[in-house]
Structures are given as C-alpha cells and as structure tokens.
Amino acid sequence: MTDTTQMAGPPGGARASLGGFIPQRSTGLKLLLVCGLALLMAIPALFVYGVVYERSQGAQQALNEVAAKVGGEQTVLGPVLAIPYSYAPDADKPGEVVYGTGLVYPDTGAIQSDVKVEERQRGIHLVPVYTADADFTAVFDPAKFSAAWPRGATPIWTDARFYMGIRDARGLKTAIRATANSAPLSFEPAAYGGGSDSYSPVPASDLSLAAAEIVGIEDMSSPLTIRAAMSFSGAGRLAFAPFARDTDVEMTSDWGSPSFTGGVLPSEHNVGETEDSFTANWRVPYLARGIPGAGPRLNLYDVTGYDRHDLAVRFIREANPYQSVQRALKYGAMFIGLVFLTYFLFEVTSHLRAHPAQYILVGLAQTIFYLLLLALSEKTSFDVAFLIAAGMTVGLISAYAKAVFRSWAYGGRALLVLSGIYGLIYMLMRAEDNALIAGAFASFAAIAFTMWMTRNVDWYGERQPASA
C-alpha cells in the first residue's frame, strides 16, 4: 500500500506563510504591526485636536464678547504735556509757517493701582473681568519745556494741554480727578482736529485721550506736580505706559494666577504670598526706556505700543483645560505606543495572542480619554476632570487586558502600568517647562524595559517545540 500521508497545515488552512518565507508566529512582525497601529491611531487624535481648537476658540469668543461690554484689554497713560508750536523754516519766506506739536514727559512718574478681579459667566465659560483704581503722580521740570519745539519756533501756550489716556474710554467708571500743584485740574475728552486750522494739538496716539488746560504754564519756574486718579474696568489684560522719564508702578490685586507680559517685566513680584493675591513693582529708568524726555517729533505710540514698552499683566485662569489637553495631545502617539507596548509584552510573557482589532479598540479608548477630559474640565476643576477621565480609561483598558489574556494577574499588571502612564500624562500637562525632558526620559525607560523583557524572544518564530 502506498503511503499517502500529507503534512498537516496550520489550523484553518489560511494561516500558512507566504512561500514558506514568513514564519507563522513571528514576534518581530507582530511588533512591527503594533508600531504601525500606534502611528495609525494618531489619526483620531488629530480629530480630537480639532475639537479642542474649536472649543478654545469658543472660549476666546466669550472673552471678546464680555470684554466689549467692560472695556476690553486696557492700556493706561499717565499725565504728559503737549505744547503746539509754529516756526518759519525758511528765513527768506517768513509768511510760510509750519505748525507742530511737541511732547514733554514728566521727569518722574509713579502709579499705585489696586485691581479687583471677578469671573463672569458667559455660556459655559468663565471670563476674568477687573476693576482698577489707579493714582498717578507726575513731576515736570519747566526748564525742559523748551526741548519740545525746534530751535527758532514759537510755542503756542494757549493750546498747551496735559493729556491722559485709556485704550477704551467705555471702561471709565468715574471722571478723572486731578490737581496741578494742589489746584484743581479739569480733564475733558480731547477734541481731535481742534486748535488752528493748520495743526492739531492732539498728539498721535492709539488711546482715547482726555485733555486739561492749565493757565500760566509759560511763567512757571519751579517743579510742577500733577496728581490724578482714575477708576476703570477691563478684561483679560491691563497695561500701564511708562509715561515718565523714570517710571515706578506698584500693583496689588486679589487674583492668584497673573501672567506678567508687556515690554518690561516686574522688578519685584509676590504671587500667592497671601491666598489668591499678588503684588508687583515695575521700575523703568530713563535710559532703559530708550525714549527722549521731550521733543518735537515724538508721539505717544512710543510708550503705549502693545508689548513694546508697556508694563502689563494678564489675568488668566490657573488651569486652562484647552492648553493642557493640547499639550497632552502633542504626546498622544507616544502614550498610545506605551500602552501598545504594554499589551505586546503581555503577549510575549503570556504566550497568548491579541488581535490587531483589540489593539485598535485600546487605542480608541485612549483617544476618547481626551474627549472625556475636555468635556469634564469645562464643567468642573481640571484636577477632578482628569481623575474621573483617567480612572474610567485605566479601569476599562485594565479590565479588557484581563479578558484578552484570561488572567486577573494581567489585569492587575495593566492597572499598575496604566496608572503610571496616566500619572505621567498629568505631569506633562502641569509641568509645561519640564514636559519635554520628562517625556524623553519616560520614553527611554519604556524602550529600555521592553528591550530587557524581550531579550530572549524568538523574533523570527523559527524555534519549534520538541516532538512528543
């Protein structure tokens, strides 16, 4: 009898390797597949990133809508002196007269401000709105007034004015209260285009200006002290212009999470010295300001320009969920890869196989974590939102590991490893300055651990068990 026994193929027949070159259970090929799936899962993470961006734009729109009603981001200018002048540039043509306006900044200027902040609800968003009281002191030296006009020019003292300014005058709560050497000084809205038909006494500015006239300024010889007080509201950002040659600003507030911005940072500040408060002091000396103290070709843009020389603070919420989630999404592929590596090591150590579809489900669960975190953080504090979202995700993936690898031990291991991974995510969200170094070391540690655990793995799948 002829022996017709045939070699038995793999179960199901369809798992035979291509041409005998690809092993049936190659661990190396499975690792490559897992890495490819981790990269593929970055696609749904991009959709989550789009949702985060859309929600952050909604928060910005809420800020803009509230700001429009209370004055917006305010920049405030202390007292400066503007002196119009006329002169004949050509001595042979005395009838041709040129007009201009020169500026004189105070020799010294000081601002003391007290800022109260409250959060107003706009839809689901909270917008910080502030009310500020500011007291100004400016000291002028009359001997320096002549630097405001060109040589040979004639000052027009009748149109000389002191000016103060604010970016959005709708935020003013009271009239400007001011004195000049203890005599009352009345500020009125600046009349653009006023004065002679050939010139405007109002200096160039991006602020809404108020002007005050003072009699007898041309005859002064001793220092002139202007004191003024202003109450106003705004939202988001508050800035003071360095309106004097030497400017000192002191600010106190009941807000606990300021962000100091502008062209000059505080020389001293205390944040959180008492609960939910801060104090800050700015000092801008004449040389550091870099702007002449008086001159015929100056304009107020030099000191009021956004982020150029201003002394500013931005009132922000301590935990911005959109920035935190965006920061974590930047490392999304890495975290998905770490969880996939965990499942792969479970495969190697348990000798059980996880299907690619199961890896995809785990990756989708991680992607949904970011949606949960975003949705919850809009309703409650960020820490509570993270605890709930991470707890749900870690619990789900750990329970799934128990089912896939048919062991409570692997479910417990998954719970331990995933808790560490999500703890790392929280640290990256919070430690903005140290996020890169923490992520780099965590990735290195994960790869090193994987290399150690798989050092004896048969990557090609060529080793066959001994025959019975």
Side-chain angles (χ1 to χ4, degrees):
M1 176 182 292
T2 303
D3 187 2
T4 60
T5 303
Q6 298 180 354
M7 183 179 293
R15 300 165 91 185
S17 59
L18 180 61
F21 293 104
I22 302 178
Q24 298 177 26
R25 295 175 62 87
S26 170
T27 305
L29 287 179
K30 185 59 176 287
L31 178 60
L32 292 177
L33 177 60
V34 168
C35 293
L37 289 175
L39 293 176
L40 185 64
M41 294 311 300
I43 296 177
L46 291 177
F47 288 101
V48 177
Y49 194 92
V51 174
V52 175
Y53 177 79
E54 180 184 356
R55 303 296 288 186
S56 65
Q57 291 299 106
Q60 184 62 43
Q61 182 179 355
L63 172 61
N64 294 338
E65 290 175 354
V66 173
K69 294 177 172 57
V70 298
E73 297 184 348
Q74 296 285 25
T75 298
V76 181
L77 173 70
V80 298
L81 176 61
I83 305 174
Y85 58 85
S86 64
Y87 75 105
D90 190 343
D92 297 331
K93 300 178 180 179
E96 294 183 2
V97 179
V98 175
Y99 293 92
T101 301
L103 287 179
V104 180
Y105 293 105
D107 271 22
T108 60
I111 304 173
Q112 290 188 327
S113 62
D114 182 37
V115 185
K116 304 296 184 185
V117 185
E118 63 174 340
E119 289 188 301
R120 295 189 181 178
Q121 187 87 26
R122 185 72 175 184
I124 63 172
H125 303 289
L126 293 174
V127 179
V129 173
Y130 59 82
T131 301
D133 295 320
D135 295 321
F136 302 84
T137 302
V139 179
F140 293 85
D141 182 1
K144 297 176 181 177
F145 289 174
S146 59
W149 55 83
R151 185 183 301 272
T154 301
I156 307 174
W157 293 108
T158 55
D159 284 329
R161 298 287 188 273
F162 287 101
Y163 287 93
M164 296 184 68
I166 187 170
R167 188 167 301 281
D168 191 340
R170 293 176 299 174
L172 285 172
K173 297 300 183 182
T174 61
I176 299 175
R177 305 172 299 280
T179 60
N181 285 346
S182 301
L185 198 63
S186 178
F187 277 89
E188 301 287 343
Y192 288 88
S196 167
D197 292 338
S198 303
Y199 74 96
S200 170
V202 180
S205 173
D206 54 348
L207 306 183
S208 298
L209 297 177
E213 179 182 359
I214 183 170
V215 178
I217 190 173
E218 67 273 20
D219 298 324
M220 290 184 176
S221 58
S222 58
L224 173 63
T225 301
I226 304 294
R227 301 186 187 278
M230 183 186 298
S231 296
F232 57 92
S233 63
R237 184 179 187 268
L238 170 60
F240 290 104
F243 68 101
R245 293 169 180 254
D246 293 291
T247 306
D248 288 285
V249 177
E250 179 180 339
M251 182 185 297
T252 61
S253 176
D254 59 356
W255 186 254
S257 56
S259 174
F260 299 108
T261 61
V264 180
L265 295 178
S267 54
E268 297 179 359
H269 64 82
N270 291 309
V271 178
E273 189 174 70
T274 59
E275 186 176 359
D276 295 332
S277 67
F278 77 87
T279 61
N281 296 274
W282 289 262
R283 162 101 189 184
V284 185
Y286 185 33
L287 293 180
R289 192 179 77 143
I291 301 169
R297 286 176 292 275
L298 303 180
N299 61 66
L300 296 178
Y301 291 111
D302 294 332
V303 295
T304 62
Y306 194 92
D307 273 346
R308 294 179 60 188
H309 295 91
D310 57 353
L311 321 173
V313 60
R314 186 175 293 279
F315 301 95
I316 60 175
R317 296 185 66 188
E318 184 176 2
N320 186 322
Y322 308 109
Q323 291 179 353
S324 298
V325 175
Q326 284 178 347
R327 190 178 305 128
L329 279 170
K330 294 177 182 178
Y331 297 90
M334 181 187 77
F335 287 117
I336 292 174
L338 289 177
V339 176
F340 280 14
L341 273 180
T342 301
Y343 264 64
F344 175 76
L345 290 177
F346 289 170
E347 280 196 55
V348 171
T349 56
S350 69
H351 304 292
L352 294 175
R353 308 288 280 177
H355 194 275
Q358 293 172 314
Y359 279 93
I360 292 176
L361 290 174
V362 170
L364 289 175
Q366 288 182 270
T367 303
I368 293 174
F369 158 75
Y370 296 107
L371 286 177
L372 283 172
L373 177 61
L374 178 63
L376 291 171
S377 61
E378 289 183 336
K379 299 294 185 181
T380 184
S381 70
F382 182 82
D383 292 340
V384 172
F386 185 90
L387 182 63
I388 295 174
M392 292 172 62
T393 306
V394 170
L396 174 62
I397 299 177
S398 299
Y400 195 55
K402 181 266 176 187
V404 171
F405 299 105
R406 305 169 190 173
S407 169
W408 282 103
Y410 282 101
R413 293 173 189 172
L415 180 64
L416 182 64
V417 174
L418 292 174
S419 297
I421 290 175
Y422 278 82
L424 178 61
I425 293 177
Y426 181 81
M427 185 176 67
L428 292 183
M429 287 180 172
R430 288 304 198 187
E432 180 177 1
D433 295 335
N434 300 312
L436 179 58
I437 191 170
F441 275 99
S443 299
F444 179 83
I447 293 299
F449 181 74
T450 303
M451 293 169 69
W452 172 258
M453 292 295 296
T454 59
R455 64 192 184 280
N456 297 320
V457 169
D458 175 20
W459 294 105
Y460 289 102
E462 294 178 341
R463 302 173 191 168
Q464 300 295 329
S467 301

